Amino acid sequence: MFFEDHPHRRLNQLTGEWVLVSPHRTKRPWQGQQEPPDRATLPSYDEHCYLCPGNGRAGGAVNPQYTDTFVFTNDFAALLPEEPEAGLTPQADGLLVAEPETGTCRVICYSPRHDLTLARLGREQAARVVGVWCDEFAHLGWREDIGYVQIFENRGAAMGCSNPHPHGQIWATRSVPMYPAAEDRRQAEHLRGKGKCLLCAYLETELARGDRIIFENDSFAALVPFWALWPFEAMILPKAHLANILEMSPGQRRDLADAMVRLNVRYDNLFRTSFPYSMGIHQAPTDGGEHPHWHFHLHYYPPLLRSRSVKKFMVGYEMMAMPQRDLTAESAAARLREQSEVHYMDAPGSGEGA
């Protein structure tokens, strides 16, 4: 097959950017480290964790003794709700361009348990997290000063996460950020030119081919996108045309929780470790406009390449020219498909349990 043997580049339909794929490089010898399963365990409660129930945070606030999910405004938020009174000095030459950005940053603790990732929280608790996302999106999206709500999670030290307590974040901004804005343009152009939603058409193609599908349930499909940059990058796409997470039915919310847990378990089983990633939900802006072209979706960007200690680095050619990968999207999907949906730490004989 051409894709598996020859260098080629693939177009990311959502951004208009290209990625170089060099599949022949996977045939080179590998003498890297082979490691046993990571069975390191954390306590269910950590007195030093600033996200655990009842503990103090760095900003001085004290967490309540929460027993489910817990949401608060970040003590050291990257965004502030009001513009400075002085404002920015305009540049006459138009080369040094800046503008104020306002918004808010929220933190969502998925569970009071310090030791459970989303892969081991279970579908019921994951569905509660989805419900909190919907509540926060509704509350923030209605604000006149908020034009976009970005829900995301950084998992693992490899992705810069300094606290293993299961949590995610929401940054809500006045303007639409760069990457969602690019996807907004591409989806709008496709609808105008083709008369059909871009991601509806794309998912239809992927489901028909099957070689990049990881799994599916009644409402969602998990796949490795044709244009994936990261070795085991994945997307979760709703089968119905939904612009944002508020358009989901109760059943679709449960199915989204199911899909997230199943993908997380497969990730962990791949290298038998707590798999790091950055995950984000891209959905329609909350600027009051009509967005019939938007089809919401989840991106997963994990850095691991060959083992739990060998990462993919975007350096050299990737930084100076264009992203490049060796493992094809089809091969990555096959690797993830073959993983068990029973977490390796919960498998018979593991000696572990939630």
Side-chain angles (χ1 to χ4, degrees), residues 55-102:
N55 289 358
R57 302 202 301 270
V62 177
N63 298 328
Q65 291 287 351
Y66 65 95
T67 59
D68 197 348
T69 55
F70 170 52
V71 186
F72 64 92
T73 298
N74 198 315
D75 299 314
F76 300 96
L79 296 157
L80 299 175
E82 297 179 355
E83 295 183 24
E85 293 183 4
L88 295 169
T89 303
Q91 301 296 322
D93 57 11
L95 295 175
L96 306 179
V97 180
E99 61 182 27
E101 184 62 279
T102 58

Side-chain angles (χ1 to χ4, degrees), residues 118 122-124 126-131 133-134 151 215 217-222 235-239 242 244-246 248-264 279-281 283 296-300:
L118 192 59
R123 288 163 176 77
E124 183 177 340
R128 292 195 181 101
V129 172
V130 173
W133 285 343
C134 292
I151 299 168
F215 64 84
N217 60 24
D218 288 344
S219 308
F220 290 87
M235 291 176 68
I236 295 178
L237 283 161
K239 294 178 178 179
L242 306 174
N244 61 58
I245 58 176
L246 289 182
M248 289 190 293
S249 68
Q252 288 168 327
R253 292 188 184 192
R254 290 191 296 270
D255 282 350
L256 177 56
D258 171 75
M260 292 190 303
V261 170
R262 291 170 67 183
L263 179 59
N264 272 256
M279 178 279 293
I281 304 176
Q283 52 191 325
F296 95 79
H297 52 280
L298 282 69
H299 290 289
Y300 284 80

Side-chain angles (χ1 to χ4, degrees), residues 144-165:
E144 292 185 358
D145 62 324
I146 297 299
Y148 193 80
V149 179
Q150 180 61 65
I151 299 168
F152 66 97
E153 176 192 0
N154 295 322
R155 176 179 168 188
M159 299 308 293
C161 184
S162 60
N163 192 323
H165 193 108

